[in-house]
């Protein structure tokens, strides 16, 4: 595969420039086109501002926390300032902690590791696997799975009933998404937090799909923790955040044992190793931290704040309306939804197309139109299967399997998406449904690919 070229006209991504807006990719039908990145829900492109900030810092990169040299001192200050910037971005309370992790998945696994023994976790079956699965790994933690609600009010009612029916002792934790990675629908976080606290439970919000699109304020929402990933927030380099209450983090054994988490290590009288662990954020940040990843997140937080979330959200609502209007005009296209078409959402939509296997449709969008989307079950298998309703795939070309579960196609976008990308996508969906694919495709490694 050859390296893509860059466009000569250097298109501007509004309202925030992102890397990749000038990348041109080949089409199987001939020629090249500027790539339309519409898979933001998986990984958003890096903001140009973030890339420039990281590039400016890179020559000064050094070890963190224990280095005596100038670059080490500078890097340590930058790392800790990044923590403070993220805390401000999230509206953290004075006694909250911001722990840098690898991702949302890592953040929620960290929280699962520090739960007090005997905790009962309440989680909706609609969650991303990162929020659905970590709790079962603890033998001393119980999990109650809640059925998919069909309205925000029903979500609150379902949670209240479940919490009221639990044992009147022990700790409890509610885990819920802020915005669905499948439908983009906003969940009633503030109301769910109030219900949790009224029943003596705590709540963690999977904010991976929320923080790139709307302002998240921990104190205002009254949540105990939020978790998110930098790569969803226009920040590359593989870092994430768990932010919120400090007590469970402080009282638990370190998530990882090693340098940085330990304050003092000595040999005991009987030859054993005695360890005193740090009590602050260092307790769960063993090893050399991802300084560039943390700085990239902080840079993205500043850029989004300065751009103004109200302005960004208003434009995104216009893009969502355009996509919904375009898909509604195409016969056989069904947009997936829990709460209905009028429910508030972020720039994430999933849909099915009658007569098409999802892998075939996504492959055609890429190969024939230069549009990148996602297809499948989106690491939220129970939710997608609930929304699809147990339908079977029709014979739509490569990748189809008569009687197999029908997957979905997901389009997602954000602050760096040009209007033209959305217009091209809507046009492409209509043409593929009306005229069919222009190229032949085959299955390779479980994926649909163009025939060479």
């Amino acid at each position: 595969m050859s390296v893509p070229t860059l466009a000569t006209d250097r298109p501007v991504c509004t309202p925030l420039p992102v890397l990749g807006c000038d990348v041109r990719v080949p089409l199987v039908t001939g020629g090249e086109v500027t790539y339309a990145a519409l898979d933001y829900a998986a990984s958003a492109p890096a903001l140009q501002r973030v890339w420039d900030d990281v590039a400016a810092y890179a020559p000064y990169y050094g070890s963190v926390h224990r280095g005596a040299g100038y670059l080490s001192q500078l890097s340590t200050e930058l790392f800790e300032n990044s923590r403070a910037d993220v805390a401000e971005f999230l509206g953290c309370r004075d006694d909250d902690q911001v722990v840098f992790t690898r991702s949302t998945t890592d953040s929620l696994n960290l929280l699962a590791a520090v739960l007090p023994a005997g905790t009962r976790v309440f989680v909706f079956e609609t969650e991303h696997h990162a929020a659905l699965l970590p709790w079962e790994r603890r033998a001393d933690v119980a999990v109650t799975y809640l059925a998919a609600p069909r309205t925000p009010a029903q979500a609150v009612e379902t949670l209240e009933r479940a919490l009221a029916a639990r044992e009147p002792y022990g700790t409890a934790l509610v885990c819920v998404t802020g915005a669905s990675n499948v439908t983009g629908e906003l969940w009633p976080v503030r109301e769910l937090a109030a219900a949790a606290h009224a029943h003596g439970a705590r709540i963690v919000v999977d904010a991976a799909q929320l923080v790139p699109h709307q302002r998240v304020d921990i104190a205002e929402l009254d949540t105990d923790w939020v978790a998110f990933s930098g790569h969803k927030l226009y920040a590359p380099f593989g870092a994430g955040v768990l932010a919120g209450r400090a007590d469970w983090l402080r009282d638990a054994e370190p998530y990882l044992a090693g340098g940085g988490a330990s304050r003092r290590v000595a040999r005991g009288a009987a030859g054993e190793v005695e360890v005193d662990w740090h009590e602050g954020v260092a307790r769960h940040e063993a090893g050399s931290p991802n300084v560039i990843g943390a700085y990239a997140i902080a840079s993205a937080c500043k850029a989004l704040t300065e751009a103004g979330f109200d302005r960004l959200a208003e434009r995104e609502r216009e893009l969502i309306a355009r996509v919904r209007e375009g898909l509604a005009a195409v016969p056989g296209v069904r947009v997936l939804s829990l709460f209905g078409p009028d429910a508030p959402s972020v720039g994430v939509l999933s849909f099915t197309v009658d007569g098409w296997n999802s892998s075939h449709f996504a492959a055609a969008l890429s190969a024939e139109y230069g549009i990148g989307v996602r297809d499948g079950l989106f690491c939220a298998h129970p939710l997608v299967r609930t929304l699809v309703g147990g339908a079977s795939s029709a014979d739509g070309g490569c990748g189809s399997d008569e009687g197999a579960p029908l997957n979905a196609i997901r389009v997602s976008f954000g602050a760096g998406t040009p209007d033209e990308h959305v217009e091209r996508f809507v046009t492409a969906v209509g043409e593929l449904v009306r005229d069919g694919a222009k190229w032949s495709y085959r299955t390779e490694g479980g994926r649909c690919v163009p025939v060479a």
Side-chain angles (χ1 to χ4, degrees):
M1 182 178 291
S2 60
V3 176
T5 61
L6 299 181
T8 56
D9 52 350
R10 310 290 292 184
V12 176
C13 295
T14 56
L16 286 175
V18 296
L19 297 179
C21 274
D22 49 1
V23 170
R24 295 184 68 82
V25 295
L27 302 179
V28 292
T29 51
E32 291 184 341
V33 67
T34 303
Y35 183 66
L38 296 178
D39 193 17
Y40 275 45
S43 284
L47 289 175
Q48 183 68 54
R49 154 78 175 272
V50 171
W51 195 258
D52 292 344
D53 284 349
V54 168
Y57 160 66
Y60 301 93
Y61 173 82
S63 62
V64 174
H65 289 150
R66 292 167 294 282
Y70 179 82
L71 297 190
S72 293
Q73 295 295 309
L74 185 149
S75 294
T76 298
E77 182 179 5
L78 180 140
F79 183 67
E80 294 304 332
N81 285 344
S82 296
R83 195 190 310 277
D85 290 339
V86 173
E88 181 180 1
F89 176 77
L90 295 173
C92 287
R93 297 153 297 223
D94 291 342
D95 54 351
D96 283 338
Q97 289 185 347
V98 172
V99 180
F100 285 117
T101 65
R102 292 177 295 176
S103 60
T104 309
T105 301
D106 195 34
S107 296
L108 293 172
N109 274 269
L110 164 57
L111 186 59
V114 305
L115 293 179
T119 297
R120 177 167 289 278
V121 179
F122 296 84
V123 57
F124 286 92
E125 65 177 1
T126 48
E127 293 295 319
H128 186 283
H129 295 170
L132 190 70
L133 302 180
W135 325 107
E136 291 277 10
R137 297 168 65 87
R138 288 278 302 274
D140 57 353
V141 167
V143 185
T144 295
Y145 295 105
L146 306 176
R150 287 300 183 168
T151 66
Q154 189 180 78
V156 178
E157 293 167 3
T158 298
L159 177 61
E160 287 181 329
R161 285 197 304 269
L163 289 171
R166 76 182 178 97
E167 301 87 346
Y169 54 85
T171 55
L173 175 71
V174 176
C175 179
V176 68
T177 188
S180 172
N181 78 305
V182 176
T183 67
E185 292 165 315
L186 295 170
W187 278 60
V189 172
R190 186 178 291 102
E191 292 80 1
L192 290 167
H197 294 153
H199 291 276
R202 299 188 184 187
I203 185 169
V204 57
V205 177
D206 173 358
Q209 301 297 339
L210 187 61
V211 291
H213 302 279
Q214 294 196 2
R215 182 172 178 268
V216 174
D217 189 303
I218 290 179
E220 181 182 338
L221 294 174
D222 196 23
T223 64
D224 296 284
W225 295 275
V226 298
F228 70 91
S229 299
H231 71 100
K232 313 284 190 186
L233 192 70
Y234 311 97
F237 308 111
V241 167
L242 177 66
R245 295 179 62 154
D247 53 350
W248 285 3
L249 294 165
R250 181 184 60 243
D251 297 339
E253 289 294 303
Y255 183 47
L256 298 173
S262 55
R263 181 170 52 195
R264 173 185 172 276
V265 180
R267 295 292 296 276
E272 75 280 9
V273 174
E274 298 177 344
V275 184
D276 290 334
W277 302 106
H278 283 294
E279 294 187 353
V281 290
R283 187 180 187 87
H284 299 289
E285 290 182 348
S288 296
N290 183 354
V291 182
I292 287 182
Y295 183 45
I297 291 177
S299 173
C301 290
K302 289 181 178 179
L304 289 167
T305 300
E306 291 169 4
F309 266 115
D310 290 342
R311 170 172 167 252
L312 298 176
E314 177 58 33
R315 179 173 182 271
E316 187 171 301
R317 283 191 290 270
E318 295 173 359
L319 295 180
I320 293 170
R322 178 66 188 97
V323 171
R324 287 189 176 278
E325 179 185 1
L327 293 180
V330 181
V333 171
R334 180 167 72 95
V335 175
L336 304 182
S337 174
L338 268 177
F339 301 152
D342 297 327
S345 65
V346 299
V348 180
L349 293 93
S350 296
F351 61 98
T352 60
V353 184
D354 290 347
W356 283 83
N357 176 276
S358 63
S359 180
H360 188 193
F361 200 89
L365 284 173
S366 174
E368 300 178 26
Y369 295 91
I371 298 170
V373 296
R374 182 62 57 105
D375 70 278
L377 298 173
F378 319 125
C379 293
H381 296 185
L383 173 56
V384 176
R385 288 173 178 145
T386 294
L387 295 175
V388 167
S392 298
S393 61
D395 186 6
C398 78
S400 64
D401 182 2
E402 192 66 30
L406 179 66
N407 298 333
I409 304 134
R410 183 180 70 190
V411 57
S412 52
F413 41 86
T417 303
D419 293 352
E420 187 275 328
H421 291 185
V422 168
E423 295 297 332
R424 194 196 318 171
F425 166 76
V426 170
T427 299
V429 171
E431 290 182 355
L432 285 172
V433 171
R434 183 184 68 241
D435 304 327
K438 302 181 182 69
W439 205 257
S440 296
Y441 297 82
R442 62 185 173 85
T443 300
E444 181 178 295
R447 297 291 306 164
C448 192
V449 296
V451 173

